[in-house]
Amino acid sequence: MSDGSSDPTLPAGILDGDTAIGKRVPRESAKRLVAGRGRYVGDISLPRMLHLAFLRSPYAHAIIGDIDISAAAAVPGVTHVITGRQVAEVCAPLMGVAHHRPGHRSAPQHVMAVEKTCWQGEPVVAVLAESRAIAEDAAELIEVDWQDLPAVVDAADALSPDAPVLHAEMGDNLAFQFDVDTGDADAAFAAAHTVVEHDFRFDSQTPLTLEPRGLIADFDPSTGGITVHHSGQSPFQMQDILSENLGIPEHRVRVICPDVGGGFGLKVNVYGDEIAVAAISKIVGRPVRFLADRLESFVSDIHARDHVVTARMAVDADGAITAMEMDDLAALGAYGMARRFSVAEGMMAVTMMGAPYRFENYRARTRNVYVNKPLVGVYRGVGMPFACVAQEVLADKAAAALDMDPVAFRRQNYRRLDELPYTSPGGAKVDTASFAACLDKLTAAMDYDHLRAEQAELCGQGVWRGIGIATFIEQTAYGPPYYGPSLARISVQDGCTVKLEPSGKVRCITSITDQGQGTWTGIAQVVASSLGIPVDDVEIHAGDSATTPFGGGAWASRGMAIGGEAALKASLALRANILALAGAITQADPAKLALRAGEVVNMETGMASISLAEVGRVGYFRQDTLPGDFDVELTVTHNHAHNHQLYYTANGVQGAYVEVDIETGFIRLLGHWAVDDCGRIINPLMVDEQVRGGVVQGLGAALFEQCLYSEDGQLQNGTMADYLAPMAAEMPDIVVEHVETPEASTRLGAKGVGEAGTIGAIGVMWSAVNDALRPLGASIHHQPFTPERVLDALDRANAGSENGT
């Protein structure tokens, strides 16, 4: 057999020159080349796993003086006490700056505080022990000489010239400002028949996943590599961060994200304490386990949506929108979020404002400031709910001012199908949309005219009901132009390997992860449908950076849109290879063969000619029966990324029916309807429940959830007894229907649906509650709509009436 050295088809240097082939590789190097083989220990037991607990800062802003760890280190069962300064020696700080956004600033963030702390809950000292309980008890014995500093927790206060500055090297607390000025907003507002305006305040919230954050980091000193089992959404992102910050080559970093109990964006953000756990495993050379309990989750998980917004809309006498304006002020927490950029909330708000509607003149500004609170990160819907809320409240107010029905006002101002694709005045790029079709389906589903008649009748009886309508666009499945220019190392592609086993069953290995969405089921359906086999014959493997194709994982509703498309590409390629092999075995034309129910079928006769199991048997074990030049390829890998698209655009409309008790301020949810266009639907049940779950989270944001802080930055409601989350008994029936407009750039046609329910639900609650209060001259301005805030709105309205205003 030729050694190939003279084979002209081989690239130069493959079998000669300075390559690994033909060299005597040392035994130590050969051991490291065997990925996942585990440690060679002989007669020595593996090191026992250590449990880690953090001492977190009790102050929102403080200088760290002397740290006395002696009492903690003396506790039986404690093995190590490690400070932030020790961790900083082996771990580079994080930096949350988007390089394509001029003026975006952040101070470097050490993964554990070194000289000072900038929020209550920042990790300062780590205690490692034989159990979590021992580590927690020992951490309470650590004494720190704290020098308490003035804190700032309100975004407006943080801009004051005399505000405490979190990071002295920045000079002030302004992280970023972005302005939009399209058309001539001043002229449009001056010429308008009617101008309506509203101010909005959104209290911060936190995602509340069922399973808290956690990981086990296992550094292997014999190989210089690390394996991390992580409750996360993106194993390759975590792999890259650990490699970059700990100085470990990527191929020595393995991250495994199994089936995770909830993500919502929470677990795709970058957490200093998680990177610290890996760094500490590297320091001590032993496996280290950290699991955030619910109490520390409240002060260490990301927060979101801490914004103050003012907005206005101009319309002409016929009800056509002529201009919009938005001013957004956002609190980002203590640092910029590495890679996932806290400024995304404000950027999305001003970009998506008014995107479903036809108008030309727009002015907007978002200012983002640092405050002494936990970092803000991406959370389901990110900044899109702000745009939805503002545009829909203004649409209702404009319709009321013109004595128009709110549905008619929206229908008149929607972008038409013949305007697609378009770029909105804020810069949102919309390729496909179905606003009018969704609205028509919604009003039919909720029997809109009947509800309006019932509302009017009950109003005369002193029963105050409101009907809300909210139109939204969901940016999904971000592409390379979105993150690439920022220089953030975030993969927006996904890959899939599909392999026919000798048994005729199929193994699918995908880079997409699953946190309860059911995405793996959808991918299995795509593979099964492409190969003509039952879904039960497809085995999914995922969540392992050492074994799956490279990819982004789960975030931004990309599971089916990107991962499903990769699975379709791989499955169709494997299908072609199977038919080619079957044709060679049966001496038939592959073009006349098809796959059905696990058999290769002759399309002309409809008869099965060979089973997939037999194809697998011959392909793997009896290649001697095949033509000499036939290559058996029963394992196929394909990737997908939409290289030149910023994102896909899904859209929808939601409706709500509520009743407000003006004596108590309580809001009763009577009905909720959602019509969504997420492209081609692969699994209707999965899609419906994604929408319902998103709606519940949106209702929670609008009605219940808030992180309350004192003036000195202390969280006041950091338990599940005090932080209100939506309960099943409080939720209405949620009717979900669909319009399907397939994504035109892919064969699968899926767009994504993970965030739609949340975006629309927040907006529709603002619309419905204000509709109920409108006859009383009241309006709500502060989210969540607690009973106290509803009663305050009514009191202000009554006071205004008494004063003749």
Side-chain angles (χ1 to χ4, degrees), residues 233-236 255 257-258 493-499 507-514 518-524 526-527 538-554 558-568 570-571 636-640:
Q233 297 176 225
S234 181
F236 286 99
V255 178
C257 296
Q493 73 165 30
D494 272 291
C496 184
T497 297
V498 184
K499 176 170 62 174
R507 195 180 302 270
C508 172
I509 308 166
T510 175
S511 60
I512 289 292
T513 58
D514 200 317
T519 309
W520 290 341
T521 299
I523 287 175
V526 170
V527 173
V538 180
E539 178 76 12
I540 298 288
H541 293 262
D544 188 339
S545 68
T547 60
T548 69
F550 202 96
R558 64 196 309 279
M560 293 308 302
I562 305 299
E565 186 70 16
L568 180 64
S571 300
V636 177
T637 300
H638 271 276
N639 298 285
H640 179 69

Side-chain angles (χ1 to χ4, degrees), residues 326-548:
M326 170 183 270
D327 188 77
D328 170 63
L329 177 60
L332 300 186
Y335 295 92
M337 175 61 68
R339 304 201 182 198
R340 294 293 172 169
F341 308 136
S342 313
V343 298
E345 284 191 342
M347 287 296 298
M348 284 189 187
V350 298
T351 300
M352 299 300 291
M353 175 68 170
Y357 298 106
R358 188 188 314 105
F359 66 104
E360 297 179 356
N361 307 293
Y362 180 56
R363 181 169 53 227
R365 173 179 68 167
T366 179
R367 291 171 296 165
N368 299 253
V369 299
Y370 293 121
V371 297
N372 294 111
K373 292 180 182 178
L375 274 63
V376 163
V378 293
Y379 170 44
R380 200 172 197 173
V382 195
M384 290 179 277
F386 301 122
C388 179
V389 167
Q391 73 195 20
E392 298 307 301
V393 169
L394 293 178
D396 287 336
K397 296 184 83 165
L402 296 172
D403 198 23
M404 288 182 64
D405 181 82
V407 166
F409 180 86
R410 287 168 169 81
R411 186 178 283 114
Q412 172 182 318
N413 284 285
Y414 281 157
R415 293 277 189 164
R416 300 185 305 270
L417 292 178
D418 61 7
E419 296 179 75
L420 295 166
Y422 67 87
T423 299
S424 76
K429 299 183 183 303
V430 183
D431 294 324
T432 60
S434 54
F435 307 123
C438 288
L439 183 64
D440 291 343
K441 201 159 194 174
L442 177 81
T443 53
M446 64 191 299
D447 198 355
Y448 178 79
D449 291 338
H450 169 74
L451 292 184
R452 280 295 179 201
E454 181 177 85
Q455 177 192 31
E457 179 182 351
L458 292 173
C459 182
Q461 302 171 22
V463 177
W464 307 103
R465 291 190 174 182
I467 300 169
I469 303 290
T471 307
F472 64 90
I473 292 175
E474 179 192 3
Q475 296 177 354
T476 70
Y478 294 100
Y482 189 85
Y483 275 110
S486 74
L487 303 185
R489 290 169 62 89
I490 293 175
S491 176
V492 294
Q493 73 165 30
D494 272 291
C496 184
T497 297
V498 184
K499 176 170 62 174
L500 180 70
E501 300 288 355
S503 63
K505 312 301 183 184
V506 172
R507 195 180 302 270
C508 172
I509 308 166
T510 175
S511 60
I512 289 292
T513 58
D514 200 317
Q515 295 80 45
Q517 305 95 319
T519 309
W520 290 341
T521 299
I523 287 175
Q525 288 178 264
V526 170
V527 173
S529 297
S530 301
L531 298 176
I533 57 177
V535 174
D536 287 347
D537 284 0
V538 180
E539 178 76 12
I540 298 288
H541 293 262
D544 188 339
S545 68
T547 60
T548 69

Side-chain angles (χ1 to χ4, degrees), residues 75-296:
V75 172
V78 169
T79 61
H80 305 78
V81 182
I82 296 176
T83 66
R85 192 173 298 279
Q86 291 172 276
V87 172
E89 294 176 359
V90 300
C91 183
L94 302 167
M95 179 63 77
V97 172
H99 291 279
H100 67 320
R101 299 297 181 194
H104 186 198
R105 306 182 299 163
S106 177
Q109 178 197 353
H110 287 289
V111 297
M112 291 173 60
V114 175
E115 296 178 349
K116 74 169 188 173
T117 66
C118 288
W119 82 88
Q120 177 206 8
E122 187 171 5
V124 178
V125 183
V127 178
L128 281 72
E130 294 174 357
S131 74
R132 169 68 184 242
I134 294 173
E136 287 181 340
D137 290 345
E140 293 182 358
L141 301 177
I142 297 172
E143 294 186 3
V144 180
D145 181 15
W146 302 101
Q147 181 182 336
D148 192 12
L149 297 173
V152 60
V153 297
D154 179 79
D157 292 344
L159 288 176
S160 172
D162 58 352
V165 176
L166 271 71
H167 309 295
E169 63 270 34
M170 290 178 53
D172 58 40
N173 295 315
L174 182 64
F176 178 64
Q177 178 173 322
F178 180 78
D179 295 87
V180 179
D181 197 350
T182 304
D184 191 340
D186 287 335
F189 278 105
H193 175 274
T194 300
V195 175
V196 294
E197 58 187 278
H198 202 87
D199 57 271
F200 311 81
R201 185 176 186 94
F202 302 85
D203 283 347
S204 63
Q205 59 181 119
T206 191
L208 290 183
T209 55
L210 184 65
E211 174 186 282
R213 293 186 299 111
L215 71 160
I216 299 172
D218 183 6
F219 182 79
D220 186 346
S222 71
T223 66
I226 191 169
T227 298
V228 176
H229 293 260
H230 184 216
S231 180
Q233 297 176 225
S234 181
F236 286 99
Q237 175 182 288
M238 187 64 161
Q239 172 188 276
D240 192 72
I241 291 167
L242 294 176
S243 173
E244 184 177 83
N245 287 77
L246 299 182
I248 303 173
E250 281 188 4
H251 68 291
R252 301 266 191 261
V253 180
R254 182 182 186 184
V255 178
I256 301 168
C257 296
D259 194 2
V260 169
F264 313 131
L266 167 75
K267 295 175 182 176
V268 79
N269 292 284
V270 181
Y271 292 91
D273 55 11
E274 294 182 354
I275 311 304
V277 172
I280 289 168
S281 177
K282 182 179 180 181
I283 291 171
V284 304
R286 292 176 66 175
V288 177
R289 179 182 186 266
F290 165 69
L291 181 66
D293 64 28
R294 189 61 68 185
L295 294 178
E296 67 182 323

Side-chain angles (χ1 to χ4, degrees), residues 590-602:
K592 297 180 180 180
L593 300 177
L595 297 180
R596 295 174 190 161
E599 305 277 354
V600 178
V601 176
N602 187 305

